[in-house]
Amino acid sequence: MDIRNKTVVVTGAGRGIGRAIALQLAQHGADIALFDLNEVDLGETSALCAAQSVRARGYRVNVADEGEVSTAMTQVATDFGRLDGLVNNAGIVRDGLLVKVKDGAVVGRMTMDQWNSVIGVNLSGVFLCAREAAAHMIELGAGGVIVNISSISRVGNAGQSNYSAAKAGVESMGVVWAKELARYGIRVGSVAPGFTHTEILSSMRPEVLDKLTAPVPLKRLGQPEEIAHAVLFIFENDFFTGRCLEVDGGLRL
């Protein structure tokens, strides 16, 4: 896809990887619709994208809310006159052990709130945004691209029953949608980032960061721009669909 003058929705676009993705696409000529809950962050990302001489507009959207997602996607199609792409990036973490044990006694459990909040945003939110975006793409008849941001945690990471389950589901849904939507000219791919230099990781103590990067062959964190570059590749390569790109510095080798 030549993304110049195409309209792409990026969820969780207020900061971090989402902002980097939105800016990367804008730099290559795409008009950007930004979904996030933080209006200040939305404004900042929108301004950065607009500085690339493209159209950019922020929408305050809770991706786990069916009504909000449906309304926002319809508004994007109206505001921009088209809808060509979606990057499902929005996600949260609520880490915890399945059961916490001390001195042989169970002293804690992952709560239903921890489970439901992560599944709601990271899995149901991806489903809702893709469903609504795909419906508009089909009706508009110009095809499109959907990219889901998964994670290396999709293979199972201790303390992340909720997050790992959601990120595994995100990749699996991408495979299903690639099979279902190809007939409409819609391609679907996934990107699984490794440990990436975001605000959350930047706040960690140096010794904790050293422990994270020790098993990574490249011995460093990824940069948000490197994840964004993988997303751009999927958009631009018209023979790519149904697969997941691992951008993890070789962590899973």
Short mmCIF file of all heavy atoms in Angstrom, two decimals, residues 8-40:
data_model
loop_
_atom_site.label_atom_id
_atom_site.label_comp_id
_atom_site.label_asym_id
_atom_site.label_seq_id
_atom_site.Cartn_x
_atom_site.Cartn_y
_atom_site.Cartn_z
N VAL A 8 -5.35 6.36 8.45
CA VAL A 8 -5.03 5.25 9.35
C VAL A 8 -5.40 5.62 10.78
O VAL A 8 -5.05 6.69 11.27
CB VAL A 8 -3.53 4.89 9.29
CG1 VAL A 8 -3.24 3.72 10.23
CG2 VAL A 8 -3.11 4.56 7.87
N VAL A 9 -6.12 4.73 11.45
CA VAL A 9 -6.44 4.87 12.87
C VAL A 9 -5.35 4.19 13.69
O VAL A 9 -4.97 3.05 13.40
CB VAL A 9 -7.81 4.24 13.21
CG1 VAL A 9 -8.04 4.25 14.73
CG2 VAL A 9 -8.93 4.95 12.49
N VAL A 10 -4.83 4.88 14.69
CA VAL A 10 -3.85 4.29 15.61
C VAL A 10 -4.42 4.40 17.02
O VAL A 10 -4.70 5.50 17.50
CB VAL A 10 -2.49 5.01 15.55
CG1 VAL A 10 -1.50 4.36 16.52
CG2 VAL A 10 -1.93 5.00 14.13
N THR A 11 -4.62 3.28 17.68
CA THR A 11 -5.14 3.30 19.05
C THR A 11 -3.99 3.36 20.05
O THR A 11 -2.87 2.94 19.76
CB THR A 11 -6.01 2.05 19.34
OG1 THR A 11 -5.19 0.89 19.46
CG2 THR A 11 -7.05 1.84 18.23
N GLY A 12 -4.28 3.90 21.23
CA GLY A 12 -3.22 4.08 22.22
C GLY A 12 -2.14 4.98 21.69
O GLY A 12 -0.94 4.79 21.95
N ALA A 13 -2.55 6.02 20.94
CA ALA A 13 -1.60 6.85 20.19
C ALA A 13 -1.06 8.02 20.99
O ALA A 13 -0.27 8.80 20.47
CB ALA A 13 -2.27 7.37 18.92
N GLY A 14 -1.45 8.15 22.25
CA GLY A 14 -1.06 9.32 23.02
C GLY A 14 0.41 9.42 23.32
O GLY A 14 0.96 10.52 23.38
N ARG A 15 1.06 8.30 23.49
CA ARG A 15 2.48 8.32 23.86
C ARG A 15 3.13 6.99 23.52
O ARG A 15 2.48 6.07 23.03
CB ARG A 15 2.66 8.64 25.34
CG ARG A 15 2.01 7.62 26.27
CD ARG A 15 2.30 7.93 27.73
NE ARG A 15 1.69 9.20 28.15
CZ ARG A 15 1.86 9.75 29.34
NH1 ARG A 15 2.65 9.14 30.23
NH2 ARG A 15 1.26 10.87 29.67
N GLY A 16 4.43 6.89 23.80
CA GLY A 16 5.14 5.63 23.67
C GLY A 16 5.14 5.06 22.27
O GLY A 16 5.30 5.77 21.28
N ILE A 17 4.94 3.74 22.17
CA ILE A 17 4.96 3.06 20.88
C ILE A 17 3.86 3.58 19.97
O ILE A 17 4.07 3.76 18.76
CB ILE A 17 4.84 1.54 21.08
CG1 ILE A 17 6.10 0.99 21.77
CG2 ILE A 17 4.61 0.82 19.75
CD1 ILE A 17 6.02 -0.48 22.15
N GLY A 18 2.68 3.84 20.51
CA GLY A 18 1.58 4.35 19.71
C GLY A 18 1.91 5.68 19.05
O GLY A 18 1.61 5.90 17.87
N ARG A 19 2.52 6.57 19.81
CA ARG A 19 2.92 7.87 19.24
C ARG A 19 3.96 7.67 18.14
O ARG A 19 3.89 8.31 17.09
CB ARG A 19 3.46 8.79 20.33
CG ARG A 19 4.02 10.11 19.78
CD ARG A 19 4.47 11.03 20.90
NE ARG A 19 3.32 11.62 21.60
CZ ARG A 19 3.43 12.51 22.59
NH1 ARG A 19 4.64 12.89 23.01
NH2 ARG A 19 2.35 12.99 23.17
N ALA A 20 4.93 6.79 18.38
CA ALA A 20 5.97 6.54 17.38
C ALA A 20 5.37 5.98 16.09
O ALA A 20 5.80 6.35 14.99
CB ALA A 20 7.02 5.59 17.95
N ILE A 21 4.40 5.09 16.23
CA ILE A 21 3.74 4.52 15.05
C ILE A 21 2.99 5.61 14.28
O ILE A 21 3.12 5.71 13.04
CB ILE A 21 2.77 3.40 15.46
CG1 ILE A 21 3.56 2.19 15.99
CG2 ILE A 21 1.88 2.99 14.29
CD1 ILE A 21 2.70 1.14 16.66
N ALA A 22 2.22 6.41 15.00
CA ALA A 22 1.46 7.47 14.34
C ALA A 22 2.39 8.43 13.61
O ALA A 22 2.13 8.82 12.46
CB ALA A 22 0.63 8.23 15.38
N LEU A 23 3.49 8.79 14.25
CA LEU A 23 4.42 9.74 13.64
C LEU A 23 5.13 9.13 12.43
O LEU A 23 5.32 9.79 11.40
CB LEU A 23 5.44 10.20 14.68
CG LEU A 23 6.39 11.33 14.27
CD1 LEU A 23 5.61 12.55 13.79
CD2 LEU A 23 7.29 11.71 15.44
N GLN A 24 5.50 7.86 12.53
CA GLN A 24 6.14 7.18 11.40
C GLN A 24 5.23 7.16 10.18
O GLN A 24 5.65 7.47 9.05
CB GLN A 24 6.49 5.75 11.79
CG GLN A 24 7.11 4.90 10.70
CD GLN A 24 8.61 5.03 10.61
OE1 GLN A 24 9.11 5.73 9.73
NE2 GLN A 24 9.33 4.37 11.49
N LEU A 25 3.96 6.84 10.39
CA LEU A 25 3.01 6.80 9.28
C LEU A 25 2.77 8.19 8.71
O LEU A 25 2.67 8.37 7.49
CB LEU A 25 1.70 6.17 9.74
CG LEU A 25 1.79 4.70 10.20
CD1 LEU A 25 0.45 4.24 10.75
CD2 LEU A 25 2.22 3.80 9.05
N ALA A 26 2.70 9.19 9.59
CA ALA A 26 2.51 10.56 9.15
C ALA A 26 3.70 11.04 8.32
O ALA A 26 3.54 11.74 7.31
CB ALA A 26 2.28 11.48 10.34
N GLN A 27 4.88 10.66 8.73
CA GLN A 27 6.09 11.06 7.99
C GLN A 27 6.12 10.49 6.59
O GLN A 27 6.80 11.02 5.71
CB GLN A 27 7.33 10.64 8.78
CG GLN A 27 7.57 11.46 10.04
CD GLN A 27 8.64 10.87 10.94
OE1 GLN A 27 8.99 9.68 10.83
NE2 GLN A 27 9.17 11.68 11.85
N HIS A 28 5.38 9.40 6.38
CA HIS A 28 5.30 8.79 5.06
C HIS A 28 4.02 9.18 4.32
O HIS A 28 3.66 8.55 3.33
CB HIS A 28 5.44 7.28 5.17
CG HIS A 28 6.86 6.83 5.42
ND1 HIS A 28 7.44 6.94 6.67
CD2 HIS A 28 7.80 6.32 4.60
CE1 HIS A 28 8.69 6.49 6.59
NE2 HIS A 28 8.93 6.12 5.36
N GLY A 29 3.32 10.19 4.85
CA GLY A 29 2.23 10.79 4.09
C GLY A 29 0.83 10.38 4.45
O GLY A 29 -0.12 10.80 3.77
N ALA A 30 0.64 9.55 5.49
CA ALA A 30 -0.71 9.12 5.85
C ALA A 30 -1.39 10.15 6.74
O ALA A 30 -0.75 10.78 7.59
CB ALA A 30 -0.65 7.78 6.57
N ASP A 31 -2.69 10.33 6.54
CA ASP A 31 -3.50 11.09 7.49
C ASP A 31 -3.81 10.19 8.68
O ASP A 31 -4.09 9.00 8.51
CB ASP A 31 -4.80 11.56 6.83
CG ASP A 31 -4.55 12.54 5.69
OD1 ASP A 31 -3.61 13.34 5.80
OD2 ASP A 31 -5.29 12.50 4.69
N ILE A 32 -3.79 10.75 9.88
CA ILE A 32 -3.83 9.94 11.09
C ILE A 32 -5.01 10.30 11.99
O ILE A 32 -5.20 11.47 12.35
CB ILE A 32 -2.53 10.09 11.91
CG1 ILE A 32 -1.30 9.84 11.04
CG2 ILE A 32 -2.56 9.14 13.10
CD1 ILE A 32 -1.19 8.44 10.50
N ALA A 33 -5.78 9.28 12.36
CA ALA A 33 -6.83 9.42 13.37
C ALA A 33 -6.32 8.74 14.64
O ALA A 33 -5.97 7.56 14.63
CB ALA A 33 -8.13 8.76 12.90
N LEU A 34 -6.25 9.50 15.72
CA LEU A 34 -5.62 9.05 16.95
C LEU A 34 -6.67 8.72 18.01
O LEU A 34 -7.49 9.57 18.35
CB LEU A 34 -4.69 10.14 17.48
CG LEU A 34 -3.71 10.73 16.47
CD1 LEU A 34 -3.22 12.09 16.93
CD2 LEU A 34 -2.55 9.79 16.26
N PHE A 35 -6.63 7.50 18.54
CA PHE A 35 -7.53 7.10 19.62
C PHE A 35 -6.72 6.99 20.92
O PHE A 35 -5.67 6.35 20.97
CB PHE A 35 -8.15 5.73 19.35
CG PHE A 35 -9.23 5.71 18.30
CD1 PHE A 35 -9.47 6.80 17.49
CD2 PHE A 35 -10.01 4.57 18.12
CE1 PHE A 35 -10.46 6.76 16.51
CE2 PHE A 35 -11.01 4.51 17.16
CZ PHE A 35 -11.22 5.61 16.36
N ASP A 36 -7.23 7.59 21.99
CA ASP A 36 -6.62 7.47 23.31
C ASP A 36 -7.60 8.04 24.32
O ASP A 36 -8.57 8.70 23.96
CB ASP A 36 -5.28 8.24 23.36
CG ASP A 36 -4.31 7.68 24.40
OD1 ASP A 36 -4.59 7.85 25.60
OD2 ASP A 36 -3.30 7.08 24.01
N LEU A 37 -7.33 7.80 25.59
CA LEU A 37 -8.16 8.36 26.66
C LEU A 37 -7.61 9.65 27.22
O LEU A 37 -8.33 10.43 27.83
CB LEU A 37 -8.33 7.34 27.80
CG LEU A 37 -9.29 6.18 27.55
CD1 LEU A 37 -9.22 5.18 28.69
CD2 LEU A 37 -10.72 6.70 27.39
N ASN A 38 -6.32 9.89 27.02
CA ASN A 38 -5.68 11.08 27.58
C ASN A 38 -5.70 12.20 26.54
O ASN A 38 -4.97 12.16 25.54
CB ASN A 38 -4.24 10.76 27.99
CG ASN A 38 -3.58 11.88 28.75
OD1 ASN A 38 -3.58 13.03 28.33
ND2 ASN A 38 -3.01 11.55 29.91
N GLU A 39 -6.52 13.21 26.77
CA GLU A 39 -6.70 14.27 25.79
C GLU A 39 -5.45 15.13 25.62
O GLU A 39 -5.18 15.63 24.53
CB GLU A 39 -7.90 15.13 26.17
CG GLU A 39 -9.22 14.36 26.07
CD GLU A 39 -10.42 15.22 26.39
OE1 GLU A 39 -10.24 16.35 26.90
OE2 GLU A 39 -11.56 14.77 26.12
N VAL A 40 -4.68 15.33 26.69
CA VAL A 40 -3.44 16.10 26.59
C VAL A 40 -2.46 15.37 25.68
O VAL A 40 -1.85 15.96 24.77
CB VAL A 40 -2.81 16.34 27.97
CG1 VAL A 40 -1.45 17.00 27.83
CG2 VAL A 40 -3.74 17.22 28.81
#
